[in-house]
Amino acid sequence: QVQLVESGGGLVQAGGSLRLSCAASGRTFSGRPFSTYTMGWFRQAPGKEREFVAAISWSGGSTYYADSVKGRFAISRDNAKNTVYLQMNSLKPEDTAVYYCNAALKSSGSSWSPLFGSWGQGTQVTVSS
């Protein structure tokens, strides 16, 4: 079973920065290593549905972002450590949410969906104005 552990969240003022980490372990349903999956970050704000934030291809050569974070966030990965990162700069109060990582699958248009059935506990990001 897949285990995803997110960390790095916290309370920050608007305009500040945070770097999130997601460590993956366990066995994927396909048996393939994590390094072969496109990985992504998703977030869920209070009272809202979970939404896509960013994704990175297995090699790290391609990255994808939601329009709301483009130019401010940067996703990266270290396959040797089975870890995915999200550098968040110029944070805004509307970025306040619990952030989760998961394997990501692009569906129609610009929509992305989580691929693993299980989620980690997430990491809380709170941006004060």
Side-chain angles (χ1 to χ4, degrees):
Q1 186 175 351
V2 171
Q3 288 89 43
L4 301 166
V5 180
E6 300 91 350
S7 61
L11 173 63
V12 64
Q13 289 188 332
S17 298
L18 285 172
R19 189 191 193 211
L20 307 184
S21 298
C22 169
S25 62
R27 181 176 176 82
T28 65
F29 61 86
S30 67
R32 289 162 42 201
F34 290 103
S35 59
T36 65
Y37 284 92
T38 293
M39 294 295 294
W41 285 94
F42 299 80
R43 68 186 181 186
Q44 186 167 21
K48 295 187 177 181
E49 292 188 352
R50 191 144 33 194
E51 64 176 3
F52 168 77
V53 176
I56 185 167
S57 63
W58 69 271
S59 66
S62 296
T63 56
Y64 312 86
Y65 298 95
D67 288 342
S68 58
V69 307
K70 203 170 292 183
R72 300 187 297 121
F73 290 11
I75 188 171
S76 60
R77 67 190 297 164
D78 184 338
N79 285 338
K81 297 180 178 179
N82 281 345
T83 301
V84 182
Y85 305 97
L86 186 67
Q87 177 67 44
M88 306 187 297
N89 300 323
S90 302
L91 283 161
K92 303 176 180 180
E94 50 264 42
D95 295 319
T96 295
V98 179
Y99 284 70
Y100 303 86
C101 69
N102 204 311
L105 181 66
K106 191 172 184 182
S107 53
S108 60
S110 59
S111 298
W112 289 82
S113 300
L115 188 58
F116 296 150
S118 60
W119 293 89
Q121 83 289 347
T123 186
Q124 175 71 49
V125 172
T126 303
V127 184
S128 63
S129 57

